[in-house]
Amino acid sequence: MNNSITFKSYGSSGFLIATACLLLLLSFGYRAGFGLFVKPITEANGWGREIISIALAVQNLCWGIIAFFAGGLADRFGNVKVVIAGTFLYALGMVLMPGVDSPWRLNTSAGILVGAGIAGTSFGIILPAMARAVGPKRQQWALGLGTAAGSIGQFAIVPVSQFLIDAYGWGPALNILAGSALIMALLAMPLAPYSGRPLPAQSQKDQTVPEALREALHYQSFLLLVMGFFVCGFHVAFITAHMPAFITDLGFDPKVGAWSISIIGLCNVFDAYLSGIISGKMPMRYLLVIIYSTRAVVITLFLLVPFSLVSVLVFSATMGFLWLATVPPTSGLVT
């Protein structure tokens, strides 16, 4: 009987891991492809590039702020409801983007709505459920696997987005992507058994949001960790948003920009997974020091050497091995 229960439990957690990884694949893949729409949207409306840059900045800001509240809502009402709400906001934002004719509409659609959608469907909501499903011993493995799934989405979805733009135009491409995004609501259903339960490593103490925030702000290590992750987010958001248009400005085909982001995602699949495993075997703070220091060197060298197809591809591959490798150790330290 015990063996049967264990087998059923493992099978159910395995199904959750698979669907959660697919959900992260889609959520992160759509987000990684927004840089492909920078040039078409600016040219269609006669705007400067700063207009859509502000909208993508609003998107990241809303993602960060709303993620804070989304986590609290997930604890209270369950991950599934938060993911479903995030899915519809994500899709609505993408559907509205082709019809924008003013900066405030772009800020509302690509910025606020999509940002809220990302907050409800990304790592902060999905990874805790994955960690609950596998238990403490395999927690870091699950975090690494989930992070790697997001990178697979970047590798898989970005070239598809570019194909849709080339085949149908940027407006219909966004509508197709928005329709496919609704699949995330279905993929959220298996999260239900692991929603709203504290992680094994956490205490059972009930806290209000202000109490939790006050406690967190009293830990110097937590503040330093947040500052480091802020830099990480700046790197990822900046490169994702501006690398495709920058490469096109250098005279390359738009497909090169798409493959640059895709290569970053492909290479990070391996490093994010390994990062989750290594995080369980060495001090996680040392791993973060290595990742951030290497990033600084790679970005500096890319800006110093002459731009060429080789330098773009080498930079993309190298950054890919450092891209989201920060997530497993950072999530592990917070836990």
Side-chain angles (χ1 to χ4, degrees):
M1 178 66 70
N2 289 337
N3 290 337
S4 174
I5 292 173
T6 303
F7 177 78
K8 289 180 180 179
S9 176
Y10 180 81
S12 115
S13 66
F15 181 68
L16 177 138
I17 294 295
T19 55
C21 285
L22 185 55
L23 198 161
L24 289 171
L25 182 153
L26 294 174
S27 176
F28 199 83
Y30 298 134
R31 173 183 172 267
F34 282 120
L36 303 178
F37 297 92
V38 168
K39 200 161 187 177
I41 290 178
T42 55
E43 291 178 349
N45 292 278
W47 293 332
R49 200 164 291 173
E50 73 280 359
I51 300 297
I52 192 169
S53 297
I54 291 173
L56 294 177
V58 170
Q59 179 189 112
N60 281 276
L61 185 62
C62 289
W63 176 16
I65 294 174
I66 295 173
F68 176 79
F69 297 99
L73 291 172
D75 285 340
R76 177 166 294 187
F77 301 107
N79 302 57
V80 174
K81 293 180 181 178
V82 172
V83 173
I84 291 175
T87 296
F88 282 101
L89 291 173
Y90 210 144
L92 178 61
M94 287 195 285
V95 165
L96 294 176
M97 283 176 65
V100 297
D101 55 6
S102 63
W104 75 266
R105 289 186 176 180
L106 185 64
N107 291 334
T108 301
S109 57
I112 298 172
L113 291 175
V114 172
I118 296 172
T121 58
S122 62
F123 295 127
I125 305 300
I126 309 303
L127 291 183
M130 295 177 67
R132 294 183 190 108
V134 300
K137 292 183 180 180
R138 302 173 69 203
Q139 182 173 305
Q140 289 304 127
W141 167 81
L143 295 176
L145 187 64
T147 307
S151 297
I152 294 174
Q154 183 170 331
F155 170 70
I157 302 296
V158 173
V160 171
S161 299
Q162 184 62 53
F163 168 78
L164 293 173
I165 292 172
D166 293 339
Y168 305 107
W170 67 271
L174 279 168
N175 289 327
I176 294 171
L177 292 173
S180 66
L182 297 176
I183 298 172
M184 293 189 293
L186 297 176
L187 295 172
M189 299 306 175
L191 298 176
Y194 303 96
S195 292
R197 286 162 41 188
L199 288 172
Q202 293 177 319
S203 68
Q204 299 295 321
K205 183 175 65 173
D206 290 328
Q207 284 183 312
T208 64
V209 170
E211 289 172 344
L213 186 59
R214 281 195 297 269
E215 181 181 0
L217 293 177
H218 279 85
Y219 285 97
Q220 184 182 24
S221 296
F222 178 78
L223 297 178
L224 293 173
L225 189 65
V226 169
M227 290 171 62
F229 210 45
F230 174 90
V231 175
C232 173
F234 174 76
H235 290 164
V236 172
F238 184 84
I239 294 173
T240 301
H242 295 289
M243 189 70 170
F246 174 69
I247 290 175
T248 305
D249 291 341
L250 294 174
F252 293 104
D253 189 279
K255 292 184 178 66
V256 177
W259 279 109
S260 170
I261 301 299
S262 182
I263 289 171
I264 291 174
L266 176 63
C267 292
N268 189 65
V269 170
F270 305 102
D271 193 57
Y273 180 73
L274 290 174
S275 177
I277 295 175
I278 295 172
S279 295
K281 296 182 178 180
M282 70 174 288
M284 289 178 275
R285 62 186 185 278
Y286 295 151
L287 180 58
L288 286 174
V289 169
I290 294 170
I291 294 170
Y292 287 135
S293 300
T294 308
R295 269 195 194 184
V297 173
V298 170
I299 293 173
T300 301
L301 289 176
F302 178 61
L303 296 175
L304 292 177
V305 302
F307 294 115
S308 66
L309 180 61
V310 173
S311 70
V312 169
L313 296 179
V314 170
F315 172 76
S316 301
T318 309
M319 277 302 297
F321 283 108
L322 305 166
W323 194 245
L324 293 180
T326 57
V327 173
T330 301
S331 299
L333 285 171
V334 170
T335 301

